[in-house]
Amino acid sequence: FQAEDGIRDHCVTGVQTCALPISSRVQTRLITLVLAASLTTILLTGLLSFGVARHLLTDAAYSRLSAMRSTQAFGVKQYLEELSDHVMTLSEARMTIEASRRFSEAFHKLPAINAQQDRELTFYYQKEFLPRLAKRSGIKKAFSKTYPVRDPERHLKYHYLAANQAVRLDPTQLEDAKDGSTWTQVHVDFHKRFLRLANLLGYRDLMLVDIKTGDVVYSTGKQDDLGTNLLDGTYSNSPVARVFRDVRKSKDPMFITFSDFAPYEPDFGRLTMFVGTTVFDGDDLIGALIVQISNDRIDRSEEH
């Protein structure tokens, strides 16, 4: 019996000795499968969560952009409506009506400049205006296509643009060119008031145009369009000329028109929009009021 017990103990021990490796392998496989399943579940959950989060963030971003776009569009729309009201109200002011009539009458009486003044004006175009235009906008124009040919235009551009270097840095500040002309007397009467309005309302320029001839008879900004003819002059194909032609066709005191934003050559290629309306003296259409708005002003309206 002792022998049999020994053999039984040995067999039991042997079975146990032989069974342990088999149990360990099974456990290892089970643990591996459980870990793999857990990791797969975690990975799938993470990917699903990432996808959902990305979708939510994308939707939120689009919603925010749409809201911003709507806000900006509303701001621009509101600004343009206010701008239309300002321009139309200004065109009906007695000051504008009187200035439009007096500037038109005085413009056509401006005398020719003398030979020395002509040389100085030529120098201004060849050495200052055209090189500056090319540098700022990349527009290269021939002198012959830019130099004014009519006496009133040459007179204004010499006295209010070319004659004084300090004036050329900020021509809006020159009130009296001391040229003895009737036009300058009218300018002294009105320029400060129009310039104050232009600055207050954010206009880059404010122009009065003779409705019959198409001449720019007044400008707060004193750019190269001062004195030009919008029907057949140097800038007759510009955005401001197109606005003027639309105004000229209208017989409606409530008429208002806008140009698209486009580079404007007299302002050295700056992106510009023009707004124009009629100027009536009673029942007589005597002029066009046109204001210039830069894209900077529109950008500021979007921010608000």
Side-chain angles (χ1 to χ4, degrees):
F1 292 105
Q2 291 179 352
E4 291 178 357
D5 291 340
I7 293 171
R8 187 166 51 248
D9 291 342
H10 175 75
C11 290
V12 171
T13 304
V15 170
Q16 289 175 345
T17 303
C18 295
L20 284 173
I22 295 173
S23 177
S24 297
R25 286 197 297 271
V26 171
Q27 289 178 1
T28 301
R29 289 177 183 176
L30 287 173
I31 292 172
T32 302
L33 288 173
V34 170
L35 287 175
S38 300
L39 289 173
T40 302
T41 302
I42 293 170
L43 180 61
L44 290 174
T45 302
L47 289 174
L48 181 60
S49 300
F50 174 76
V52 172
R54 184 176 63 177
H55 180 71
L56 291 174
L57 289 172
T58 301
D59 285 349
Y62 278 130
S63 297
R64 176 168 179 162
L65 288 172
S66 296
M68 289 174 61
R69 182 176 59 192
S70 298
T71 301
Q72 290 175 344
F74 177 77
V76 172
K77 180 176 181 292
Q78 187 177 41
Y79 171 69
L80 293 179
E81 289 175 352
E82 292 175 354
L83 178 60
S84 299
D85 292 341
H86 291 163
V87 172
M88 197 166 296
T89 301
L90 183 57
S91 74
E92 296 172 346
R94 192 68 231 172
M95 177 182 73
T96 304
I97 297 168
E98 183 182 352
S100 183
R101 190 177 288 283
R102 289 180 61 190
F103 272 119
S104 292
E105 292 172 355
F107 178 82
H108 300 292
K109 297 176 183 178
L110 286 168
I113 56 178
N114 60 41
Q116 177 60 33
Q117 291 170 339
D118 185 71
R119 285 191 290 272
E120 292 178 23
L121 185 59
T122 297
F123 181 87
Y124 163 74
Y125 272 94
Q126 291 179 332
K127 302 300 182 182
E128 292 190 41
F129 177 76
L130 290 175
R132 189 179 173 192
L133 177 65
K135 181 178 180 180
R136 286 196 175 186
S137 67
I139 300 172
K140 296 182 180 180
K141 291 192 68 175
F143 170 78
S144 60
K145 295 186 179 297
T146 310
Y147 192 72
V149 297
R150 299 178 309 144
D151 288 338
E153 186 178 356
R154 286 187 184 183
H155 184 101
L156 291 183
K157 287 181 175 176
Y158 171 74
H159 288 285
Y160 284 87
L161 287 176
N164 188 298
Q165 186 174 5
V167 168
R168 293 199 295 278
L169 295 175
D170 188 3
T172 66
Q173 299 307 311
L174 180 59
E175 185 180 9
D176 186 353
K178 309 295 183 183
D179 60 336
S181 68
T182 303
W183 189 93
T184 288
Q185 294 174 15
V186 179
H187 192 263
V188 170
D189 290 340
F190 291 101
H191 180 61
K192 277 187 177 180
R193 287 183 282 173
F194 278 124
L195 183 61
R196 186 162 55 245
L197 277 171
N199 290 336
L200 179 65
L201 298 173
Y203 303 156
R204 184 155 179 83
D205 198 1
L206 183 155
M207 292 177 276
L208 296 174
V209 187
D210 188 322
I211 204 69
K212 294 180 180 178
T213 65
D215 295 312
V216 179
V217 296
Y218 170 74
S219 162
T220 57
K222 302 297 186 298
Q223 300 176 119
D224 197 56
D225 49 16
L226 175 64
T228 194
N229 189 282
L230 297 179
L231 296 176
D232 58 14
T234 303
Y235 302 113
S236 58
N237 292 320
S238 66
V240 68
R242 290 190 285 274
V243 165
F244 171 72
R245 285 193 287 269
D246 288 342
V247 172
R248 195 171 188 241
K249 293 175 186 175
S250 174
K251 305 299 180 183
D252 183 2
M254 304 299 290
F255 179 79
I256 193 94
T257 185
F258 293 79
S259 74
D260 292 330
F261 270 101
Y264 189 50
E265 194 173 301
D267 199 7
F268 304 101
R270 179 186 293 270
L271 282 176
T272 292
M273 177 182 74
F274 290 94
V275 185
T277 190
T278 51
V279 178
F280 277 84
D281 187 1
D283 294 330
D284 297 330
L285 176 59
I286 63 171
L289 170 65
I290 302 177
V291 300
Q292 177 187 350
I293 307 295
S294 71
N295 65 323
D296 297 338
R297 184 65 184 83
I298 295 292
D299 289 342
R300 288 197 295 274
S301 71
E302 289 180 351
E303 293 173 1
H304 299 295

